[in-house]
Amino acid sequence: MNKITITGGHVINGTIQASGAKNAVLPILAATIVGQGESHIQHVPHLHDVTTMNELLVQMGAKLTVDHHSDITICTDHLSNQTAPYETVKTMRASILALGPLVARYGRAKVSLPGGCPIGARPVDLHIKGLQAMGAKIDVEDGYILATCDRLIGNRIVMEKVTVTGTENIMIAATLAQGETLIENAAIEPEVVDLAKYLKAMGAEIRGEGTSKIYIQGKDHLKGTHHAVMPDRIEIGTFLVAAAITGGSITINNSCNDDLDAVFDKLTEAGAQISTTENSVTLNMQGKRPNPVNIRTAPHPAFPTDMQAQFCALNAIADGTSHITETLFENRFMHVEELNRMGANIHVEGNQAVIKGVKQLSGAPVTATDLRASASLVLAGLAARGNTDVHDIHYIDRGYEAIEEKMNQLGARIIRN
């Protein structure tokens, strides 16, 4: 089953519970490697990438159990194999997060380059440079990063560009290094803060998380602990857009409202009424067609690149013209061609999409090209007339937990076939 069919024209209304964050749980699972004894991780989303990370840890020798709530108990005390093979991790860029923890605790690691990409295509080189600055000997051979070290030594590491996984990898490794490590130009995303919370519960000494300077005082050992993964702010944003694009109303419990200000502001600008409690958010579109909103993506706390595609879909049916500027990633407008197949009027000029809203989209066969692109196509299908077949939905299963079940709970008509 690699396709879902969406029958459009059904308004999204109701209440759901937010899942745990994909971008928080993956580094936390990797970080279990540096802790002695068991860790119990709660609020773990059931996603393809999580399954892949679990399989990787088990292949290495971890003892791992998943209960009926999808909570994970894991012990990494006896990893007999410090290799992350290409066959296991080829679809998951987050596999690079195993590199720092393995070197820090076991003194060696062999990790496949994510997706077989060359150094420089993505900032994997920043992970390598950071670990080298801490004393690791690293070679790249046959598509693998080979790293060894007796013990990492704390150092001042200046990231050439902001990288979330790079910050996380170095931060995890530094918890077992000798002395203090300073990460400058560190990522400030909420998921980095959640990882620091988990590491501190294990006994790590970290300060400055959530700012561009993170200080880590290395320890001789850390202990496993309990941790509940933060809510998925991108899933929350996506479901809010689902209600907005269909003129509906939604309440999402277990929300992380402080992390979503930029998204809330743009939804309000689009005409939605938004109200919040301590851990929930409610959006009411009152049946109105959205206003066009201009967006420029940037690192947190600005508008997140992972919500850009969803707002492309929202703007596609807005009453007017909008501009979306993508500043973080190349090739992040691959969903535009598919949205245009559904009747959208979007023109890409360099890193900017010019969107002239249309009153109605039409269902059509479309193909997902990446995780967030797939979400935009689902949203467009909800608002379109007729049926939309979204192919290659393995992308959406990497980042959204049971999306068709949650959408159908809210009144959508989606089948997987």
Side-chain angles (χ1 to χ4, degrees):
M1 294 187 293
N2 201 30
K3 178 182 78 171
I4 58 175
T5 299
I6 305 158
T7 301
H10 299 277
V11 178
I12 295 297
N13 283 306
T15 301
I16 59 167
Q17 185 90 355
S19 299
K22 164 188 176 286
N23 291 337
V25 71
L26 294 176
I28 287 169
L29 288 173
T32 62
I33 293 171
V34 298
Q36 297 178 10
E38 287 187 347
S39 275
H40 184 66
I41 313 299
Q42 298 174 290
H43 203 212
V44 177
H46 183 61
L47 303 171
H48 184 269
D49 278 7
V50 173
T51 300
T52 300
M53 184 66 83
N54 289 344
E55 290 175 353
L56 174 61
L57 291 167
V58 170
Q59 286 177 8
M60 291 179 176
K63 295 181 179 179
L64 186 149
T65 58
V66 181
D67 68 15
H68 64 285
H69 297 295
S70 293
D71 295 350
I72 293 174
T73 300
I74 184 169
C75 179
T76 59
D77 282 347
H78 304 289
L79 299 190
S80 56
N81 176 20
Q82 290 81 39
T83 299
Y86 174 75
E87 291 74 17
T88 302
V89 303
K90 60 185 177 182
T91 64
M92 186 181 67
R93 287 164 55 190
S95 60
I96 192 68
L97 287 165
L99 182 65
L102 286 171
V103 175
R105 184 169 183 192
Y106 287 97
R108 59 188 179 275
K110 180 180 179 182
V111 177
S112 171
L113 290 169
C117 68
I119 294 294
R122 294 189 178 124
V124 176
D125 56 327
L126 301 184
H127 301 241
I128 292 174
K129 289 177 181 178
L131 291 171
Q132 286 175 326
M134 299 169 72
K137 180 181 181 298
I138 297 182
D139 296 300
V140 179
E141 298 178 0
D142 302 324
Y144 281 85
I145 303 169
L146 310 176
T148 57
C149 189
D150 291 333
R151 185 178 184 185
L152 296 174
I153 306 297
N155 203 345
R156 175 174 175 259
I157 298 169
V158 181
M159 294 292 187
E160 295 175 12
K161 63 177 292 186
V162 177
T163 161
V164 174
T165 54
T167 298
E168 292 167 340
N169 221 341
I170 301 304
M171 183 167 67
I172 299 169
T175 60
L176 293 182
Q178 181 179 335
E180 185 177 75
T181 298
L182 165 61
I183 306 174
E184 295 198 49
N185 199 27
I188 65 173
E189 269 70 8
E191 293 79 12
V192 175
V193 176
D194 200 41
L195 172 61
K197 182 179 178 181
Y198 168 67
L199 291 168
K200 290 164 81 168
M202 297 172 80
E205 186 177 327
I206 302 173
R207 55 192 173 90
E209 66 274 19
T211 76
S212 61
K213 290 186 177 181
I214 302 177
Y215 298 83
I216 308 103
Q217 182 65 46
K219 299 290 186 180
D220 290 336
H221 64 271
L222 302 174
K223 294 183 178 181
T225 188
H226 286 71
H227 181 76
V229 177
M230 66 172 284
D232 194 319
R233 60 194 174 104
I234 305 303
E235 183 202 47
I236 293 166
T238 300
F239 275 81
L240 292 175
V241 173
I245 203 170
T246 60
S249 176
I250 189 173
T251 295
I252 304 176
N253 293 321
N254 188 39
S255 182
C256 47
N257 298 333
D258 291 343
D259 301 328
L260 285 161
D261 287 341
V263 173
F264 290 172
D265 288 347
K266 289 300 177 180
L267 285 169
T268 300
E269 189 178 332
Q273 293 182 352
I274 292 182
S275 59
T276 61
T277 67
E278 184 177 353
N279 61 359
S280 73
V281 57
T282 297
L283 177 146
N284 190 346
M285 200 64 183
Q286 298 180 311
K288 296 182 297 183
R289 184 179 176 188
N291 304 319
V293 292
N294 295 326
I295 287 168
R296 184 180 182 87
T297 65
H300 188 79
F303 191 90
T305 183
D306 280 352
M307 284 299 303
Q308 177 256 104
Q310 296 90 317
F311 271 77
C312 269
L314 184 67
N315 278 333
I317 65 160
D319 187 12
T321 300
S322 59
H323 297 78
I324 295 183
T325 304
E326 173 59 56
T327 70
L328 298 179
F329 292 105
E330 300 175 0
N331 300 323
R332 204 73 199 262
F333 283 123
M334 290 188 289
H335 47 280
V336 165
E337 183 177 348
E338 301 302 299
L339 290 172
N340 284 342
R341 284 175 51 80
M342 300 178 67
N345 185 351
I346 308 174
H347 176 65
V348 176
E349 301 172 354
N351 69 335
Q352 186 176 84
V354 180
I355 306 171
K356 296 180 180 180
V358 298
K359 287 186 177 181
Q360 180 76 65
L361 296 174
S362 298
V366 291
T367 301
T369 53
D370 61 59
L371 171 54
R372 304 310 171 185
S374 65
S376 75
L377 299 179
V378 171
L379 295 174
L382 293 174
R385 179 180 61 250
N387 289 342
T388 298
D389 290 336
V390 182
H391 296 263
D392 286 356
I393 57 167
H394 59 274
Y395 286 110
I396 207 164
D397 291 335
R398 291 184 53 226
Y400 291 92
E401 183 176 41
I403 189 168
E404 72 273 20
E405 294 178 19
K406 283 189 172 183
M407 288 292 186
N408 288 342
Q409 178 185 333
L410 296 167
R413 301 285 177 86
I414 303 176
I415 60 172
R416 183 176 290 243
N417 45 36

